Amino acid sequence: MKPIIYLLILLSPLIIQAQEKNKYQVRTIAFYNLENLFDTKNDTLIFDDDRTPEGKDGWTQERYLKKIENLSKVIVQIGKINTNATPDIIGVCEVENKSVLIDLTNHPNLKEKNYGIVHFDSPDERGIDVGLLYSKSAFIPTSFASHRLLLFNDDGERDYTRDQLVVEGMLDTEKMYFIINHWPSRSGGELRSRPFRLEAAKLNKRIIDSLKRYDPNAKIIAMGDFNDDPVDHSFKKILKVKGKIKQLDSMSLFGPMEKMYKKGMGSLAYRDKWNIFDQIYFTSNFVQPPEGSYAYWKAGIYTPSYIIDPKGKYKGYPLRTYAGGNYVGGYSDHFPVYMHLIKKVY
């Protein structure tokens, strides 16, 4: 059971001593790129050879279990400083299959939290997928689907990438939709790879528009590793995500990470430049919801010191599993991001 948060509200500026406790229910939505969470088995259908005991990375069972332990340690703490509780919904990417998510949720750090899993195998050439973990005490999925992103290179050949996962369900008594993304990378350069991310943004917009046609009051939260920042073309021109609450109308999407990005914050770093590729954005009805329903409270990037590289070339970066080709036994090359939903309890 999620704890109730109490906020003190002054009844009147003229009666300073007279105070009343209002009770609020808080839920945490998070996203975490798990950085190549592969098992140690060689799957002949995907390019996982490096992540095997005999492969380039020397990916042993001991290293795999250490990564599971590390990731579970992070997940259980995301947003906890504000709620004293673990996340209720966690979108993930860069997972090889459902079995690694089962291992993750069965780790002692997470097992008693009783997380369920929604996962589909994607056709991605690297063999990585997206997935959703959910607290069974908070969320009941009612439907889910995997939407394929069809991409073709300059030679007309299929470029296989991740699907976009859509999960509908009840967060407590309120219907919500979650879309989990991992858009095409910037391999080959940002400009050269941009058309693929624009296609991913168009698919995302089609999904959101379709949900709104089906349910005009749909409350939709999209999250993922987009390989684009909040100010990039995919977000500003295709999805038209707004970065300021005062810009919103009933059809808008709101992205709280834009403000963080403009402050110089980041969820990952490359060549000493910080990006916020890991984002959460959502429909405007979370900002001014009906009375008694969940509202957006705050968002953040989870950056405790233990997941930050303390020294060397990558000092200050996320402490990853491998750095410079060497095993360092870290967590991920991305920081997790999160948002809190809040509603008054009567």
Side-chain angles (χ1 to χ4, degrees):
M1 181 64 67
K2 181 70 67 170
I4 302 297
I5 287 183
Y6 294 86
L7 301 181
L8 296 178
I9 308 296
L10 292 179
L11 292 178
S12 166
L14 300 178
I15 312 174
I16 303 299
Q17 299 301 320
Q19 294 182 335
E20 175 184 291
K21 285 185 177 180
N22 286 332
K23 300 177 183 179
Y24 290 86
Q25 178 82 54
V26 179
R27 296 293 184 190
T28 301
I29 316 299
F31 177 81
Y32 198 10
N33 180 326
L34 302 182
E35 190 206 15
N36 293 319
L37 181 57
F38 283 78
D39 60 28
T40 60
K41 302 171 186 175
N42 188 2
D43 186 335
T44 58
L45 299 179
I46 60 174
F47 298 135
D48 68 345
D49 292 3
D50 289 347
R51 284 295 171 102
T52 60
E54 299 78 23
K56 177 176 67 69
D57 293 336
W59 191 237
T60 62
Q61 185 72 1
E62 180 182 8
R63 291 181 176 184
Y64 170 66
L65 294 177
K66 175 63 175 175
K67 186 169 178 73
I68 290 287
E69 179 182 4
N70 284 352
L71 294 173
S72 66
K73 177 182 175 181
V74 176
I75 287 171
V76 80
Q77 294 292 330
I78 299 173
K80 194 172 184 178
I81 191 172
N82 298 316
T83 66
N84 197 34
T86 54
D88 301 287
I89 301 288
I90 308 146
V92 295
C93 74
E94 293 203 13
V95 298
E96 183 182 11
N97 48 45
K98 188 174 182 178
S99 71
V100 299
L101 293 178
I102 293 173
D103 288 344
L104 179 63
T105 55
N106 280 338
H107 187 276
N109 287 337
L110 293 177
K111 188 172 180 62
E112 67 177 24
K113 309 303 178 184
N114 198 21
Y115 281 112
I117 299 169
V118 180
H119 168 272
F120 289 91
D121 287 315
S122 288
D124 179 76
E125 59 190 21
R126 285 173 56 197
I128 53 175
D129 311 323
V130 299
L132 184 81
L133 310 180
Y134 62 92
S135 168
K136 294 179 182 179
S137 65
F139 183 73
I140 301 174
T142 54
S143 68
F144 33 83
S146 190
H147 293 254
R148 192 130 297 173
L149 176 60
L150 295 176
L151 300 175
F152 298 89
N153 62 25
D154 293 339
D155 297 324
E157 299 170 334
R158 175 86 180 273
D159 194 298
Y160 293 92
T161 189
R162 283 76 63 176
D163 295 344
Q164 295 183 15
L165 174 63
V166 181
V167 181
E168 174 189 352
M170 302 298 294
L171 185 64
D172 297 320
T173 59
E174 195 168 340
K175 182 191 290 187
M176 291 186 193
Y177 302 86
F178 297 95
I179 309 174
I180 316 302
N181 300 262
H182 186 192
W183 290 2
S185 75
R186 295 191 171 196
S187 177
E190 188 279 326
L191 186 61
R192 183 178 179 182
S193 60
R194 184 186 299 171
F196 284 176
R197 288 186 300 282
L198 295 182
E199 288 302 313
K202 291 174 185 176
L203 173 60
N204 199 253
K205 188 175 189 305
R206 288 196 298 271
I207 293 170
I208 292 172
D209 289 346
S210 177
L211 292 174
K212 285 184 174 180
R213 282 194 297 271
Y214 168 72
D215 180 359
N217 298 313
K219 300 185 80 171
I220 304 167
I221 297 175
M223 67 185 91
D225 173 0
F226 297 94
N227 280 299
D228 266 346
D229 287 309
V231 297
D232 284 327
H233 192 94
S234 54
F235 279 87
K236 305 313 287 185
K237 301 297 183 181
I238 305 297
L239 289 165
K240 296 181 170 61
V241 178
K242 308 295 185 183
K244 297 180 180 179
I245 288 178
K246 65 182 181 181
Q247 298 173 329
L248 298 178
D249 58 36
S250 62
M251 300 301 294
S252 297
L253 297 169
F254 177 60
M257 274 67 187
E258 181 176 334
K259 184 177 180 180
M260 301 178 203
Y261 177 76
K262 290 179 176 178
K263 288 183 176 180
M265 301 169 67
S267 63
L268 75 160
Y270 180 67
R271 294 181 178 176
D272 293 333
K273 180 183 184 298
W274 283 95
N275 298 96
I276 302 185
F277 290 170
D278 306 273
Q279 300 183 52
I280 303 175
Y281 56 94
F282 42 87
T283 47
S284 60
N285 50 4
F286 279 103
V287 178
Q288 294 180 325
E291 189 75 13
S293 62
Y294 278 113
Y296 166 68
W297 178 24
K298 63 169 68 175
I301 304 171
Y302 183 56
T303 58
S305 60
Y306 69 89
I307 65 171
I308 300 175
D309 201 323
K311 60 184 178 181
K313 179 181 178 181
Y314 301 107
K315 183 178 180 180
Y317 288 24
L319 182 58
R320 55 197 302 171
T321 308
Y322 289 84
N326 299 312
Y327 176 74
V328 295
Y331 300 81
S332 171
D333 55 349
H334 292 243
F335 293 136
V337 295
Y338 65 92
M339 65 176 284
H340 294 307
L341 299 176
I342 190 170
K343 71 175 176 180
K344 187 182 291 187
V345 178
Y346 296 93

